[in-house]
Amino acid sequence: MNKMTGIILIGLGIILFIAGIIIIYKPTPAEAQTGVVSSFDTSSSNSKPILNNTASNVDKSKWANKKDVSTEENFRKGENFEKYVVKKFNREYFTIKEWTSDKYVDGIYAETNQHPDLVVELALRSKKKSFSIECKWKQSLYNNGIKVATEEQLNRYKKFELERGIPVFMAVGISGEPSRPKELYIIPLKELKNNFIHINDLKKYEKENIEEGFFFDMEEETLR
């Protein structure tokens, strides 16, 4: 009887040992569903757990989504400020001849996207004169001034001005909302030495009455 009891106890011990191994290696339902704790590499005797990079992928996805939202928001703000500028022109005298689009796909875009935003024509009596405007809205000043464009953009605008033979202006709105900025500045491109302008220099280009429409002097080629 003692021998039989010993065999039974040994058998129970083996069963409990095997059950313990199964419990240790079996992932919880949550782990199995998320894949955070995945499989073991059984290709060698020194098997180590391989962690799934799901969390890393989620973080990257969130970062990409935030970047897309930011880009879309900046595009919307720029578009709203362009509309604000366009409404400043009396349609009885001014015609919007060109309005560039920032549309692109997979890095493919029209060459005109690199031109200033607007080409406007003034028709007064028998005379006509065109000029161009690049629109920029800024939430606030930076280092006591503003960066009106990148160096590359500034060079492209200067090239456009030279090739087209028409004056180019930078319309800069600051603070408020893109559709209703608190301050508005009209800067002739030819007077910009670089892409940054200090507030002391910026002030002389401020539109005195921001509620009034634009006036273009054909002889002086000035916009105010």
Side-chain angles (χ1 to χ4, degrees), residues 176-195:
E177 295 295 329
S179 57
R180 193 177 178 82
K182 288 185 177 180
E183 301 171 22
L184 181 62
Y185 301 87
I186 308 298
I187 311 167
L189 183 67
K190 62 184 179 182
E191 295 187 18
L192 285 173
K193 305 303 180 185
N194 55 61
N195 65 336

Side-chain angles (χ1 to χ4, degrees), residues 27-38 52 54:
T28 66
E31 290 170 344
Q33 192 171 27
T34 60
V36 173
V37 178
S38 58
N52 192 295
T54 302

Side-chain angles (χ1 to χ4, degrees), residues 40-202:
F40 282 75
D41 185 0
T42 57
S43 58
S44 67
S45 57
N46 298 322
S47 300
K48 296 181 180 180
I50 302 171
L51 297 180
N52 192 295
N53 63 355
T54 302
S56 176
N57 288 339
V58 169
D59 290 341
K60 290 179 180 178
S61 177
K62 286 182 179 178
W63 180 84
N65 289 337
K66 286 181 180 179
K67 185 178 180 181
D68 290 342
V69 169
S70 177
T71 301
E72 185 177 339
E73 184 178 356
N74 289 336
F75 176 81
R76 178 180 55 79
K77 288 178 179 178
E79 190 176 54
N80 287 341
F81 182 63
E82 288 175 23
K83 291 176 181 178
Y84 167 82
V85 170
V86 166
K87 291 176 182 178
K88 286 288 181 186
F89 292 104
N90 188 328
R91 286 184 291 177
E92 185 177 349
Y93 305 105
F94 294 96
T95 304
I96 307 299
K97 306 298 288 186
E98 298 176 25
W99 192 342
T100 60
S101 167
D102 292 328
K103 292 188 177 72
Y104 66 91
V105 60
D106 295 336
I108 304 170
Y109 54 85
E111 288 184 358
T112 53
N113 281 16
Q114 298 182 328
H115 295 170
D117 296 314
L118 305 168
V119 173
V120 184
E121 182 185 76
L122 169 62
L124 196 59
R125 301 183 185 89
S126 59
K127 293 182 179 180
K128 290 184 178 181
K129 180 68 178 181
S130 294
F131 55 94
S132 184
I133 302 176
E134 173 63 18
C135 306
K136 299 287 184 183
W137 179 80
K138 304 289 184 180
Q139 180 66 63
S140 59
L141 297 177
Y142 175 73
N143 285 342
N144 292 319
I146 57 167
K147 186 177 179 181
V148 294
T150 65
E151 289 288 354
E152 182 184 0
Q153 287 173 330
L154 203 62
N155 291 333
R156 289 204 307 265
Y157 301 153
K158 288 181 179 292
K159 180 181 178 182
F160 175 89
E161 184 176 52
L162 183 64
E163 291 178 347
R164 295 286 288 266
I166 61 175
V168 176
F169 301 90
M170 305 290 293
V172 180
I174 298 179
S175 190
E177 295 295 329
S179 57
R180 193 177 178 82
K182 288 185 177 180
E183 301 171 22
L184 181 62
Y185 301 87
I186 308 298
I187 311 167
L189 183 67
K190 62 184 179 182
E191 295 187 18
L192 285 173
K193 305 303 180 185
N194 55 61
N195 65 336
F196 182 86
I197 181 167
H198 193 273
I199 185 62
N200 294 339
D201 297 319
L202 185 63

